[in-house]
Amino acid sequence: MVWSSLSLAQSPEFSQGNDAPDMFNPAGPNAESIQEIFWVVIGICAVILGLVGTTLIWFIAKYRERPGDNSEPPQIYGSRAIELAWTLAPLLTVTLLAVLVIATVIKLRADPPSTAAHRVRVVGHQWWWELNYPDHGFTTANELVIPVSEPDLAKPIYLQLESADVCHSFWVPRLAGKTDCIPGRTNSMWIQAGEPATYFGRCAEYCGTQHAKMLIRVDCVSQADFDKWVENQKADAVSDDSVAAGRDRFMEMACMNCHAIRGTRAAGEFGPDLTHLMSRKTICSGLALNDRENLTRWISKPDDLKKGCRMPDMRLTEPDVKLIVDYLLSLK
Ligand code: CUA
């Protein structure tokens, strides 16, 4: 795990919009419990490693073969004390670890300590995240926006995790552990963050060629900013006549079969909802910053940014790409 986050941190693409997730800096109660049990288990294992390692080295030195000594070492059979010692010691250790881990799992499974909860339905797709806020009636993608918890008022987010195709796993290490998104099944978890920040995550279950580029952003903002964001997301798409030509091209091409833009004819569900595309900081599931240059690259040749992605190369002419990008940039 450490290795994979180190190697991702070195990949230049991620500096564009998505930093490496940090496993050692918990920012929510679930991640804190996981961090605690992690260090307890590492501590117990380190003590065992230390005892076994020093004993081993000590014995190797003390009882090594010496020149001229060909005598047989003392042979011990059926020593009750030794048999009991090497049966009970591992048994007690494993039992202790199991009790500690099970207690943590029970704690993580318990409901969050607040009624001020929001719900989000998360659907894993190859290779992006559909995020549906059922209480507010809108859908967005890849960037989960949540309100910050206050010291006297926890604001947990219940996540209902599903998959549209293969198994994925939702993982934002600073907030909580991994939970799988499994086809035909609904899993659940909750997250909560105590400080406004952006928390980065990953799909943590191999799900095909672009598994490594299925990133998650959780933007934790103040309640006021969250309310403002929700109001904007609930509204239909901006209808700006100065980009009517691009909108027409979008509707004539196959774009509208896969993407929804509320307030227009486009109602596809196969790809991300684009109603408020420009409210998102990144495109391609956290792969690139959401700006004119990357949108142009993405629409002209999706495979260049994300090889094997499900968005087809529509072989658009350069003027068409420009018109469509102009239109997308209007979707605030
Ligand atoms: Cu989705 Cu790996």
Side-chain angles (χ1 to χ4, degrees), residues 191-213:
I191 56 172
Q192 182 182 313
E195 51 177 294
T198 301
Y199 302 101
F200 299 103
R202 293 277 182 275
C203 176
E205 177 78 40
Y206 182 70
C207 54
T209 51
Q210 289 298 343
H211 156 70
K213 291 178 183 166

Side-chain angles (χ1 to χ4, degrees), residues 37 53 72 80 95 133 141 193 224 230 234 262 274:
I37 190 72
E72 175 99 343
R80 181 167 291 175
T95 309
Y133 288 66
V230 166
K234 274 159 78 175
R262 257 179 301 124
L274 304 178

Side-chain angles (χ1 to χ4, degrees), residues 106 129 323:
I106 291 170
W129 301 93
L323 286 175

Side-chain angles (χ1 to χ4, degrees), residues 124-129 165-169 202-208 210-212 214:
H125 291 254
Q126 283 175 317
W127 288 278
W128 61 281
W129 301 93
D165 35 49
V166 299
C167 290
H168 304 273
S169 184
R202 293 277 182 275
C203 176
E205 177 78 40
Y206 182 70
C207 54
Q210 289 298 343
H211 156 70
M214 191 167 165

Side-chain angles (χ1 to χ4, degrees), residues 10 16 25 50 55-56 67 78 82 95 97 100 106 108 124 127 154 162 169 175-176 211 263 280 294 306 312 317 319:
Q10 283 153 4
Q16 294 184 352
N25 187 12
T55 314
L56 186 68
I82 291 178
T95 309
L97 287 173
L100 292 172
I106 291 170
L108 293 177
W127 288 278
E162 297 167 22
S169 184
L175 299 181
H211 156 70
R280 307 203 279 264
N294 287 331
K306 210 168 183 176
T317 62

